[in-house]
Amino acid sequence: MGKGVRDYREFAGLIARILPLETRAQARNELYARWRAEPENLFWIELALNYNGFLRRDDDIERMWSTTAVGDTNKAAGAFFEGWISHNRRRQARMYHKAAAKSAEVDSVGQVWLNVKLATAQHHSGHTIDAVRRLLEWLPVARRTGGPAYEARLWLTIARRLAVIDRQDDALYAAALSSALAHHANSRYAEIYAGIVIGQIMGRRQESESAIARLE
């Protein structure tokens, strides 16, 4: 198993352990231990920022920001951090592009994640089809470097984007692929999440009974 596969597996596993109260403290300590060992790893920065509402580690976020690895926006990790915390979507997109220009500083799984963030910025700016195309282009890299669970994550993001622009058939196909890949990777949390998205898409397709049955 390559490092990228291990990192994404731990990334997904930490999410599943952060959410329940009974495992949150241990997950929090493990996350910051991993970040201190690899301060420029985008997965650990993403988790620290995205789940700080659960983790309540504002002091650690401040310490993270003050480090050379994250505090310097001329570095990929620093530009990524700055883009993540920005409330201005144009600045956010600009910083993600800046991080991508320095993508040689991060590993291949990190480069995929940068492009997931760039696709999110494209979606927010009204260019959802371009966002989907970007994600599709990076699927082979996600599969090669992070394994089927990482590929499943991208397919699920594609499904959610397609659903928003009323491409429900394509969205359902993408979500079903995500679910199958998550099952193959033995990623139960990701499989459940994909099932929820499938149920939501079925609801949009006015397949109410099927949607309710899947969500029960």
Side-chain angles (χ1 to χ4, degrees):
M1 183 189 300
K3 183 180 183 301
V5 176
R6 290 196 304 272
D7 279 359
Y8 184 74
R9 180 174 291 183
E10 187 58 30
F11 173 82
L14 279 168
I15 294 172
R17 297 196 298 278
I18 286 169
L19 296 176
L21 183 59
E22 60 270 19
T23 54
R24 188 173 301 161
Q26 182 180 354
R28 177 176 57 209
N29 294 335
E30 187 177 341
L31 166 60
Y32 277 94
R34 287 184 176 277
W35 174 75
R36 284 189 292 271
E38 296 182 291
E40 296 186 24
N41 189 307
L42 301 189
F43 281 159
W44 317 141
I45 297 170
E46 173 76 25
L47 288 177
L49 293 171
N50 200 15
Y51 290 92
N52 194 46
F54 291 94
L55 300 174
R56 301 186 181 279
R57 293 286 286 264
D58 291 344
D59 290 345
D60 282 323
I61 295 291
E62 289 292 333
R63 278 191 284 272
M64 182 182 286
W65 201 359
S66 69
T67 63
T68 303
V70 175
D72 184 356
T73 59
N74 289 314
K75 293 180 175 291
F80 175 84
F81 184 98
E82 187 68 23
W84 209 107
I85 64 173
S86 177
H87 297 294
N88 182 302
R89 285 182 173 170
R90 287 186 178 179
R91 176 171 172 74
Q92 185 179 72
R94 191 161 61 247
M95 296 309 295
Y96 286 152
H97 277 288
K98 187 174 181 179
K102 301 278 186 178
S103 63
E105 297 176 6
V106 299
D107 58 14
S108 296
V109 288
Q111 290 173 22
V112 174
W113 197 251
L114 274 174
N115 277 276
V116 170
K117 306 304 278 192
L118 283 167
T120 299
Q122 287 176 305
H123 168 66
H124 286 156
S125 65
H127 300 287
T128 300
I129 288 296
D130 290 335
V132 169
R133 289 191 183 115
R134 179 184 292 274
L135 293 168
L136 288 169
E137 287 171 5
W138 280 88
L139 275 169
V141 185
R143 182 187 312 122
R144 186 176 69 250
T145 61
Y150 202 14
E151 183 184 359
R153 177 68 177 250
L154 265 67
W155 274 117
L156 194 62
T157 303
I158 290 167
R160 292 171 61 210
R161 300 298 177 238
L162 289 169
V164 168
I165 58 172
D166 205 26
R167 296 276 293 270
Q168 306 305 331
D169 291 346
D170 293 334
L172 185 60
Y173 175 77
L177 274 177
S178 177
S179 179
L181 285 163
H183 180 78
H184 175 69
N186 198 28
S187 181
R188 182 61 180 152
Y189 176 81
E191 189 177 357
I192 290 170
Y193 188 24
I196 291 170
V197 173
I198 289 171
Q200 292 169 340
I201 294 168
M202 285 179 169
R204 289 172 182 259
R205 285 159 52 101
Q206 298 183 336
E207 298 173 5
S208 302
E209 290 184 7
S210 298
I212 291 169
R214 178 168 283 275
L215 293 171
E216 283 180 342

Short mmCIF file of all heavy atoms in Angstrom, two decimals, residues 122-160:
data_model
loop_
_atom_site.label_atom_id
_atom_site.label_comp_id
_atom_site.label_asym_id
_atom_site.label_seq_id
_atom_site.Cartn_x
_atom_site.Cartn_y
_atom_site.Cartn_z
N GLN A 122 -14.59 26.85 -9.04
CA GLN A 122 -15.26 26.99 -10.34
C GLN A 122 -16.77 26.84 -10.19
O GLN A 122 -17.55 27.60 -10.79
CB GLN A 122 -14.73 25.94 -11.32
CG GLN A 122 -13.32 26.22 -11.81
CD GLN A 122 -12.80 25.10 -12.70
OE1 GLN A 122 -12.78 23.94 -12.30
NE2 GLN A 122 -12.39 25.45 -13.91
N HIS A 123 -17.19 25.87 -9.42
CA HIS A 123 -18.62 25.66 -9.18
C HIS A 123 -19.26 26.89 -8.55
O HIS A 123 -20.32 27.35 -8.98
CB HIS A 123 -18.81 24.44 -8.29
CG HIS A 123 -20.19 24.28 -7.73
ND1 HIS A 123 -21.28 24.00 -8.53
CD2 HIS A 123 -20.66 24.37 -6.45
CE1 HIS A 123 -22.37 23.93 -7.77
NE2 HIS A 123 -22.01 24.15 -6.52
N HIS A 124 -18.60 27.45 -7.54
CA HIS A 124 -19.15 28.63 -6.85
C HIS A 124 -19.22 29.85 -7.75
O HIS A 124 -20.05 30.74 -7.52
CB HIS A 124 -18.32 28.94 -5.62
CG HIS A 124 -18.53 27.98 -4.48
ND1 HIS A 124 -17.60 27.75 -3.50
CD2 HIS A 124 -19.58 27.16 -4.19
CE1 HIS A 124 -18.07 26.86 -2.65
NE2 HIS A 124 -19.26 26.48 -3.05
N SER A 125 -18.35 29.89 -8.77
CA SER A 125 -18.37 31.03 -9.68
C SER A 125 -19.31 30.81 -10.86
O SER A 125 -19.35 31.63 -11.79
CB SER A 125 -16.95 31.32 -10.19
OG SER A 125 -16.47 30.26 -10.98
N GLY A 126 -20.08 29.71 -10.83
CA GLY A 126 -21.07 29.46 -11.86
C GLY A 126 -20.58 28.62 -13.02
O GLY A 126 -21.29 28.46 -14.02
N HIS A 127 -19.37 28.05 -12.91
CA HIS A 127 -18.81 27.26 -14.00
C HIS A 127 -18.78 25.78 -13.59
O HIS A 127 -17.72 25.15 -13.53
CB HIS A 127 -17.40 27.76 -14.33
CG HIS A 127 -17.37 29.20 -14.76
ND1 HIS A 127 -17.83 29.62 -15.99
CD2 HIS A 127 -16.96 30.32 -14.10
CE1 HIS A 127 -17.69 30.93 -16.09
NE2 HIS A 127 -17.17 31.38 -14.95
N THR A 128 -19.96 25.25 -13.33
CA THR A 128 -20.04 23.89 -12.79
C THR A 128 -19.59 22.84 -13.78
O THR A 128 -18.92 21.86 -13.40
CB THR A 128 -21.48 23.61 -12.31
OG1 THR A 128 -21.81 24.56 -11.29
CG2 THR A 128 -21.61 22.21 -11.74
N ILE A 129 -19.91 23.00 -15.05
CA ILE A 129 -19.46 22.02 -16.05
C ILE A 129 -17.94 21.99 -16.12
O ILE A 129 -17.33 20.92 -16.21
CB ILE A 129 -20.07 22.33 -17.42
CG1 ILE A 129 -21.57 22.00 -17.43
CG2 ILE A 129 -19.36 21.53 -18.52
CD1 ILE A 129 -21.89 20.53 -17.23
N ASP A 130 -17.30 23.16 -16.05
CA ASP A 130 -15.84 23.20 -16.04
C ASP A 130 -15.31 22.51 -14.79
O ASP A 130 -14.27 21.83 -14.84
CB ASP A 130 -15.34 24.65 -16.09
CG ASP A 130 -15.60 25.30 -17.43
OD1 ASP A 130 -15.70 24.59 -18.43
OD2 ASP A 130 -15.71 26.54 -17.47
N ALA A 131 -16.00 22.68 -13.67
CA ALA A 131 -15.60 22.00 -12.43
C ALA A 131 -15.66 20.49 -12.59
O ALA A 131 -14.74 19.76 -12.18
CB ALA A 131 -16.49 22.46 -11.28
N VAL A 132 -16.74 20.01 -13.20
CA VAL A 132 -16.90 18.57 -13.42
C VAL A 132 -15.81 18.05 -14.35
O VAL A 132 -15.21 16.98 -14.11
CB VAL A 132 -18.30 18.25 -13.98
CG1 VAL A 132 -18.39 16.81 -14.46
CG2 VAL A 132 -19.36 18.52 -12.92
N ARG A 133 -15.51 18.80 -15.40
CA ARG A 133 -14.45 18.39 -16.32
C ARG A 133 -13.11 18.29 -15.61
O ARG A 133 -12.33 17.35 -15.84
CB ARG A 133 -14.36 19.38 -17.49
CG ARG A 133 -15.54 19.31 -18.46
CD ARG A 133 -15.24 20.12 -19.71
NE ARG A 133 -16.37 20.11 -20.62
CZ ARG A 133 -17.08 21.20 -20.94
NH1 ARG A 133 -16.75 22.38 -20.45
NH2 ARG A 133 -18.09 21.10 -21.78
N ARG A 134 -12.82 19.24 -14.74
CA ARG A 134 -11.57 19.21 -13.99
C ARG A 134 -11.50 17.94 -13.14
O ARG A 134 -10.47 17.25 -13.10
CB ARG A 134 -11.43 20.45 -13.11
CG ARG A 134 -10.15 20.47 -12.26
CD ARG A 134 -10.12 21.68 -11.34
NE ARG A 134 -9.99 22.92 -12.07
CZ ARG A 134 -8.84 23.47 -12.46
NH1 ARG A 134 -7.69 22.83 -12.17
NH2 ARG A 134 -8.81 24.60 -13.11
N LEU A 135 -12.58 17.65 -12.44
CA LEU A 135 -12.60 16.46 -11.59
C LEU A 135 -12.43 15.18 -12.41
O LEU A 135 -11.71 14.26 -12.00
CB LEU A 135 -13.89 16.42 -10.77
CG LEU A 135 -14.04 17.53 -9.73
CD1 LEU A 135 -15.46 17.58 -9.20
CD2 LEU A 135 -13.05 17.33 -8.58
N LEU A 136 -13.09 15.12 -13.55
CA LEU A 136 -12.96 13.95 -14.42
C LEU A 136 -11.51 13.77 -14.89
O LEU A 136 -11.01 12.65 -14.97
CB LEU A 136 -13.89 14.07 -15.62
CG LEU A 136 -15.40 13.90 -15.33
CD1 LEU A 136 -16.22 14.31 -16.55
CD2 LEU A 136 -15.71 12.46 -14.95
N GLU A 137 -10.85 14.87 -15.20
CA GLU A 137 -9.46 14.81 -15.65
C GLU A 137 -8.53 14.25 -14.56
O GLU A 137 -7.54 13.58 -14.87
CB GLU A 137 -8.98 16.20 -16.07
CG GLU A 137 -9.56 16.69 -17.37
CD GLU A 137 -9.23 18.15 -17.64
OE1 GLU A 137 -8.46 18.74 -16.84
OE2 GLU A 137 -9.73 18.70 -18.64
N TRP A 138 -8.88 14.53 -13.30
CA TRP A 138 -8.01 14.12 -12.20
C TRP A 138 -8.39 12.76 -11.61
O TRP A 138 -7.69 12.26 -10.73
CB TRP A 138 -7.98 15.20 -11.12
CG TRP A 138 -7.06 16.31 -11.52
CD1 TRP A 138 -7.37 17.41 -12.25
CD2 TRP A 138 -5.66 16.40 -11.22
NE1 TRP A 138 -6.27 18.19 -12.45
CE2 TRP A 138 -5.20 17.59 -11.82
CE3 TRP A 138 -4.77 15.60 -10.52
CZ2 TRP A 138 -3.87 17.99 -11.73
CZ3 TRP A 138 -3.44 16.00 -10.44
CH2 TRP A 138 -3.01 17.18 -11.03
N LEU A 139 -9.45 12.16 -12.11
CA LEU A 139 -9.84 10.84 -11.59
C LEU A 139 -8.73 9.79 -11.73
O LEU A 139 -8.48 9.05 -10.76
CB LEU A 139 -11.10 10.35 -12.32
CG LEU A 139 -12.44 10.82 -11.77
CD1 LEU A 139 -13.54 10.46 -12.76
CD2 LEU A 139 -12.72 10.19 -10.41
N PRO A 140 -8.05 9.69 -12.88
CA PRO A 140 -7.00 8.66 -12.98
C PRO A 140 -5.88 8.85 -11.96
O PRO A 140 -5.34 7.87 -11.44
CB PRO A 140 -6.48 8.82 -14.42
CG PRO A 140 -7.59 9.47 -15.16
CD PRO A 140 -8.24 10.39 -14.17
N VAL A 141 -5.54 10.11 -11.67
CA VAL A 141 -4.48 10.38 -10.68
C VAL A 141 -4.97 10.00 -9.29
O VAL A 141 -4.24 9.42 -8.49
CB VAL A 141 -4.04 11.86 -10.72
CG1 VAL A 141 -2.85 12.07 -9.78
CG2 VAL A 141 -3.69 12.28 -12.14
N ALA A 142 -6.23 10.33 -9.00
CA ALA A 142 -6.80 9.96 -7.70
C ALA A 142 -6.79 8.44 -7.54
O ALA A 142 -6.42 7.93 -6.47
CB ALA A 142 -8.23 10.49 -7.58
N ARG A 143 -7.16 7.72 -8.58
CA ARG A 143 -7.20 6.25 -8.52
C ARG A 143 -5.80 5.69 -8.33
O ARG A 143 -5.59 4.79 -7.51
CB ARG A 143 -7.82 5.72 -9.82
CG ARG A 143 -7.96 4.21 -9.87
CD ARG A 143 -8.43 3.76 -11.25
NE ARG A 143 -9.56 4.53 -11.72
CZ ARG A 143 -9.57 5.24 -12.85
NH1 ARG A 143 -8.50 5.28 -13.63
NH2 ARG A 143 -10.63 5.93 -13.20
N ARG A 144 -4.84 6.24 -9.08
CA ARG A 144 -3.48 5.70 -9.05
C ARG A 144 -2.77 6.00 -7.72
O ARG A 144 -2.03 5.15 -7.20
CB ARG A 144 -2.67 6.30 -10.20
CG ARG A 144 -1.27 5.72 -10.35
CD ARG A 144 -0.54 6.27 -11.55
NE ARG A 144 -0.18 7.68 -11.40
CZ ARG A 144 -0.74 8.67 -12.05
NH1 ARG A 144 -1.70 8.43 -12.93
NH2 ARG A 144 -0.34 9.91 -11.86
N THR A 145 -3.01 7.17 -7.16
CA THR A 145 -2.24 7.58 -5.98
C THR A 145 -2.96 7.35 -4.66
O THR A 145 -2.31 7.13 -3.63
CB THR A 145 -1.87 9.08 -6.08
OG1 THR A 145 -3.07 9.86 -6.12
CG2 THR A 145 -1.04 9.35 -7.32
N GLY A 146 -4.29 7.42 -4.68
CA GLY A 146 -5.04 7.29 -3.43
C GLY A 146 -5.93 6.08 -3.35
O GLY A 146 -6.55 5.83 -2.32
N GLY A 147 -6.02 5.32 -4.46
CA GLY A 147 -6.81 4.10 -4.45
C GLY A 147 -8.29 4.34 -4.72
O GLY A 147 -8.73 5.48 -4.94
N PRO A 148 -9.08 3.27 -4.68
CA PRO A 148 -10.51 3.38 -5.03
C PRO A 148 -11.30 4.28 -4.08
O PRO A 148 -12.28 4.90 -4.52
CB PRO A 148 -11.00 1.93 -4.97
CG PRO A 148 -9.98 1.20 -4.16
CD PRO A 148 -8.68 1.88 -4.42
N ALA A 149 -10.92 4.38 -2.83
CA ALA A 149 -11.65 5.24 -1.90
C ALA A 149 -11.51 6.71 -2.30
O ALA A 149 -12.48 7.49 -2.20
CB ALA A 149 -11.16 5.02 -0.48
N TYR A 150 -10.33 7.09 -2.75
CA TYR A 150 -10.10 8.47 -3.18
C TYR A 150 -10.87 8.75 -4.47
O TYR A 150 -11.49 9.80 -4.63
CB TYR A 150 -8.61 8.69 -3.39
CG TYR A 150 -8.14 10.13 -3.32
CD1 TYR A 150 -8.94 11.14 -2.81
CD2 TYR A 150 -6.86 10.47 -3.74
CE1 TYR A 150 -8.49 12.45 -2.74
CE2 TYR A 150 -6.39 11.77 -3.67
CZ TYR A 150 -7.21 12.76 -3.17
OH TYR A 150 -6.75 14.06 -3.10
N GLU A 151 -10.84 7.79 -5.38
CA GLU A 151 -11.62 7.93 -6.61
C GLU A 151 -13.11 8.06 -6.28
O GLU A 151 -13.83 8.87 -6.89
CB GLU A 151 -11.38 6.72 -7.51
CG GLU A 151 -12.10 6.82 -8.85
CD GLU A 151 -11.95 5.58 -9.70
OE1 GLU A 151 -11.27 4.63 -9.29
OE2 GLU A 151 -12.54 5.56 -10.81
N ALA A 152 -13.57 7.29 -5.30
CA ALA A 152 -14.98 7.37 -4.88
C ALA A 152 -15.32 8.77 -4.41
O ALA A 152 -16.42 9.28 -4.68
CB ALA A 152 -15.25 6.36 -3.78
N ARG A 153 -14.39 9.40 -3.69
CA ARG A 153 -14.64 10.76 -3.20
C ARG A 153 -14.85 11.72 -4.36
O ARG A 153 -15.76 12.56 -4.32
CB ARG A 153 -13.44 11.19 -2.34
CG ARG A 153 -13.51 12.63 -1.81
CD ARG A 153 -14.62 12.80 -0.80
NE ARG A 153 -14.65 14.15 -0.25
CZ ARG A 153 -14.31 14.45 1.01
NH1 ARG A 153 -13.92 13.51 1.85
NH2 ARG A 153 -14.39 15.69 1.44
N LEU A 154 -14.03 11.62 -5.39
CA LEU A 154 -14.18 12.51 -6.54
C LEU A 154 -15.49 12.25 -7.29
O LEU A 154 -16.18 13.20 -7.69
CB LEU A 154 -12.98 12.38 -7.49
CG LEU A 154 -11.86 13.41 -7.25
CD1 LEU A 154 -11.19 13.16 -5.90
CD2 LEU A 154 -10.84 13.38 -8.38
N TRP A 155 -15.84 10.96 -7.46
CA TRP A 155 -17.09 10.66 -8.15
C TRP A 155 -18.29 11.22 -7.39
O TRP A 155 -19.26 11.70 -7.99
CB TRP A 155 -17.25 9.14 -8.32
CG TRP A 155 -16.61 8.58 -9.54
CD1 TRP A 155 -15.59 7.67 -9.59
CD2 TRP A 155 -16.92 8.90 -10.91
NE1 TRP A 155 -15.25 7.40 -10.90
CE2 TRP A 155 -16.05 8.13 -11.73
CE3 TRP A 155 -17.84 9.75 -11.53
CZ2 TRP A 155 -16.09 8.19 -13.12
CZ3 TRP A 155 -17.88 9.80 -12.92
CH2 TRP A 155 -17.01 9.03 -13.70
N LEU A 156 -18.22 11.19 -6.07
CA LEU A 156 -19.34 11.71 -5.29
C LEU A 156 -19.44 13.23 -5.44
O LEU A 156 -20.55 13.78 -5.54
CB LEU A 156 -19.19 11.33 -3.82
CG LEU A 156 -20.47 11.52 -2.99
CD1 LEU A 156 -21.60 10.65 -3.51
CD2 LEU A 156 -20.21 11.21 -1.52
N THR A 157 -18.30 13.91 -5.47
CA THR A 157 -18.31 15.35 -5.70
C THR A 157 -18.88 15.66 -7.08
O THR A 157 -19.68 16.60 -7.25
CB THR A 157 -16.90 15.93 -5.56
OG1 THR A 157 -16.38 15.61 -4.26
CG2 THR A 157 -16.91 17.45 -5.72
N ILE A 158 -18.50 14.88 -8.07
CA ILE A 158 -19.04 15.04 -9.43
C ILE A 158 -20.56 14.86 -9.40
O ILE A 158 -21.31 15.66 -10.00
CB ILE A 158 -18.39 14.02 -10.39
CG1 ILE A 158 -16.93 14.39 -10.64
CG2 ILE A 158 -19.16 13.94 -11.71
CD1 ILE A 158 -16.11 13.31 -11.32
N ALA A 159 -21.04 13.85 -8.69
CA ALA A 159 -22.48 13.61 -8.60
C ALA A 159 -23.21 14.81 -8.01
O ALA A 159 -24.26 15.22 -8.51
CB ALA A 159 -22.73 12.36 -7.76
N ARG A 160 -22.68 15.34 -6.95
CA ARG A 160 -23.34 16.49 -6.29
C ARG A 160 -23.36 17.71 -7.19
O ARG A 160 -24.34 18.45 -7.21
CB ARG A 160 -22.62 16.79 -4.97
CG ARG A 160 -22.80 15.67 -3.93
CD ARG A 160 -21.91 15.87 -2.73
NE ARG A 160 -22.22 17.12 -2.05
CZ ARG A 160 -21.32 17.85 -1.39
NH1 ARG A 160 -20.07 17.46 -1.34
NH2 ARG A 160 -21.70 18.95 -0.78
#
